[in-house]
Amino acid sequence: MSAIPFDNSYARLPERFFARVDPTPVPAPRLIALNRGLAETLGIDPDWLAGPEGVAALAGNAVPPGAEPIATAYAGHQFGHLVPQLGDGRAILLGEVVDRGGTRRDVQLKGAGPTPFSRRGDGRAALGPVLREYIVSEAMAALGIPTTRALAAVATGAGVVRERLLPGAILTRIARSHIRVGTFQYFAIRRDTEGVKQLADHVIARHYPAAAESGQPYRALLAAVIDRQAALVAQWLCVGFIHGVMNTDNMAVAGETIDYGPCAFLDAYDPATVFSAIDEAGRYAYGNQPAIAQWNLARLAEALLPLLAPETEAAIAVAQDLLAGFVPRFEAAYHGGLRRKLGLATAREDDVALANGLLEIMTANRADFTLTFRRLGAAADPAADGGVRDLFIDPTAYDAWNGRWRERLAAEPRPAGERRAAMDAANPAVIPRNHRIEAVIAAAVEHDDFGPFAELTTVLAKPFEEQAAFAAYADPPEESERVHRTFCGT
């Protein structure tokens, strides 16, 4: 019996959906991090994973029994430009497991060597991007945001050439699936309607079984994906997350955050913020993310057109009607999140204007996004207003808004302790601050020191708690520490 209980449904699809390829062995694998709690949830013995056989599997040096390694095929719009063939160029799907909760999950090695889709790349990953994805994906999970997870990180003992020679590593990524909008596009571009249908049937069975009970299952599928993406992007905005590269091949139809390349979190609030060094035009700026998500969903709808109605015009009308639902669904989720962040338990028509008023003065005053909302929890007591005022260049701007906020709070009196607890549960004390991530990467890459990585992941596992021993992790960066650009790990 395999130490990893594989049950591989995607590998049973037709061969044109993927390429069968084994990982390429590495010279000196060394376990950097193992997510023991996640391993147990997956039904995998963490002690086995930490041992020689497990590390060999995580490094790609041995294919465990039951695995069927494949690189999946997909296309995608990259920065608005269609690329007909992309595919897993440095990732290999070992297989799938059904976790203890009954959910099917992919087990993928990222950085495991070249595949037929590598496009002249080496198929490897540098240590820095592996650590970034491990840190941020696990932080997102702790924040309650749907995301791929990090099971393990392994150093390979070999260098990879990027701007310079860097230590190599492999991330073991867990996902509800790695099926993307671009996966549907791959078959649609080839006019492979049967492939689109087989993929849609697989996604319905795996992620949206209720759609199968609908009289129009493919319409129900598109509607369900739209709902999940609207909710997901709203959650991103509520914690100040910027994906950085929202190409259609980086949008998972299961509704999870996937592919943490040049991602980053806001320090000072500004909806025009861009960190990704490859996003020169600001296409994927923080405030653009809802519109981009809707644009990406339109590309999914295009791929599904043959399944939505027999006639093209009728299919387009169905797609347009479903896509029109994105904005109200996003706004309901986002505005609900803002109300919770402001300590409001009921909904009133002017709440959105109240929230937007705060965001506007935060932008004008370069106020820190995370700290402003976290300190508002204490500021529900007027005596504690100083902690928020100090974040504004012009504190009187906050004072003017504060008066409106207090009037609104008075309209729904609740015990102070209850309101504070609700606000603290909606407003994290710590996030993966960009300067902290960069410091962790520098320590690991330059000095082979993983102590900062271990400490940061420990702190981020409890983002809503006040952790006195790690209070400095809540602080925004000094000007000299501020990160202005993040880079894709490819």
Side-chain angles (χ1 to χ4, degrees):
M1 184 176 180
S2 172
I4 303 177
F6 287 110
D7 178 32
N8 310 318
S9 64
Y10 203 81
R12 293 194 285 269
L13 289 171
E15 293 283 333
R16 67 186 186 284
F17 280 66
F18 49 78
R20 297 189 184 275
V21 57
D22 286 342
T24 303
V26 300
R30 172 169 55 111
L31 186 65
I32 298 169
L34 176 62
N35 192 333
R36 299 182 71 89
L38 179 57
E40 290 171 354
T41 299
L42 296 171
I44 304 172
D45 180 2
D47 291 331
W48 179 84
L49 276 178
E53 290 184 2
V55 172
L58 296 171
N61 282 18
V63 176
E68 297 179 77
I70 58 174
T72 66
Y74 51 85
H77 275 88
Q78 299 194 320
F79 291 89
H81 302 287
L82 180 61
V83 182
Q85 180 167 299
L86 293 166
D88 290 327
R90 59 185 182 123
I92 294 176
L93 178 62
L94 287 183
E96 304 157 24
V97 299
V98 178
D99 69 19
R100 295 190 186 281
T103 300
R104 180 175 294 275
R105 299 191 184 275
D106 283 357
V107 180
Q108 184 197 69
L109 301 184
K110 192 171 180 182
T115 78
F117 305 111
S118 292
R119 304 182 299 282
R120 298 186 301 278
D122 61 10
R124 292 302 187 185
L127 176 60
V130 165
L131 296 183
R132 178 184 296 277
E133 180 156 351
Y134 194 110
I135 292 165
V136 182
S137 62
E138 286 306 295
M140 293 284 271
L143 288 165
I145 298 173
T147 178
T148 60
R149 300 289 303 275
L151 177 61
V154 173
T156 64
V160 296
V161 178
R162 297 298 182 258
E163 296 81 9
R164 60 189 177 97
L165 187 66
L166 296 167
I170 295 173
L171 178 78
T172 303
R173 182 163 70 183
I174 306 299
R176 288 173 62 89
S177 80
H178 286 84
I179 302 166
R180 310 149 188 270
V181 170
T183 316
F184 280 91
Q185 290 181 290
Y186 179 84
F187 296 102
I189 290 165
R190 288 158 177 77
R191 302 184 184 276
D192 184 354
T193 302
E194 181 60 24
V196 173
K197 182 179 183 301
Q198 288 174 306
L199 183 62
D201 289 341
H202 178 86
V203 170
I204 288 170
R206 185 165 179 175
H207 299 305
Y208 301 100
E213 307 303 319
S214 165
Q216 300 286 348
Y218 305 115
R219 298 182 189 186
L221 167 62
L222 180 57
V225 175
I226 289 169
D227 279 348
R228 282 198 189 171
Q229 290 296 336
L232 177 65
V233 175
Q235 288 179 282
W236 288 359
L237 297 196
C238 284
V239 296
F241 176 74
I242 306 173
H243 185 280
V245 60
M246 287 179 67
N247 297 330
T248 59
D249 56 292
N250 291 338
M251 191 171 189
V253 296
E256 290 183 323
T257 315
I258 190 170
D259 286 333
Y260 293 91
C263 66
F265 283 77
L266 291 173
D267 291 313
Y269 179 79
D270 183 346
T273 301
V274 175
F275 285 98
S276 171
I278 58 176
D279 190 7
E280 296 177 356
R283 176 182 174 88
Y284 300 139
Y286 169 83
N288 289 349
Q289 293 179 120
I292 290 296
Q294 188 180 32
W295 191 92
N296 288 349
L297 289 163
R299 308 289 77 75
L300 174 61
E302 288 171 352
L304 290 172
L305 283 179
L307 308 183
L308 299 179
E311 301 296 329
T312 301
E313 283 192 16
I316 290 172
V318 169
Q320 290 175 334
D321 181 60
L322 294 173
L323 289 165
F326 175 87
V327 171
R329 286 168 174 78
F330 164 76
E331 289 182 344
Y334 178 53
H335 296 159
L338 288 177
R339 285 190 179 93
R340 288 188 292 275
K341 291 176 81 66
L342 293 177
L344 305 177
T346 60
R348 292 198 171 190
E349 189 175 344
D350 58 353
D351 289 346
V352 175
L354 179 68
N356 287 338
L358 175 59
L359 295 174
E360 287 168 7
I361 63 171
M362 287 170 65
T363 303
N365 286 269
R366 304 289 297 162
D368 186 84
F369 180 81
T370 301
L371 280 186
T372 298
F373 281 104
R374 182 69 179 190
R375 291 182 183 180
L376 275 178
D381 174 2
D385 261 345
V388 185
R389 293 182 86 251
D390 291 346
L391 298 172
F392 288 76
I393 297 169
D394 175 12
T396 62
Y398 168 72
D399 294 339
W401 176 85
N402 179 272
R404 296 165 54 204
W405 179 52
R406 293 202 181 285
E407 288 180 12
R408 177 65 181 86
L409 293 182
E412 49 172 55
R414 44 199 297 216
E418 179 184 317
R419 188 189 304 279
R420 174 70 184 272
M423 292 182 72
D424 284 353
N427 297 312
V430 291
I431 57 167
R433 298 255 182 200
N434 309 316
H435 69 296
R436 290 285 183 183
I437 295 173
E438 293 301 327
V440 163
I441 291 173
V445 171
E446 307 299 337
H447 306 292
D448 198 36
D449 178 5
F450 293 93
F453 166 79
E455 183 167 285
L456 181 59
T457 53
T458 297
V459 173
L460 294 174
K462 300 176 179 179
F464 298 101
E465 296 183 16
E466 297 289 345
Q467 302 177 63
F470 303 112
Y473 282 89
D475 294 340
E478 299 291 337
E479 192 56 42
S480 61
E481 298 174 311
R482 197 172 298 280
V483 173
H484 298 285
R485 285 288 177 267
T486 53
F487 298 89
C488 183
T490 309

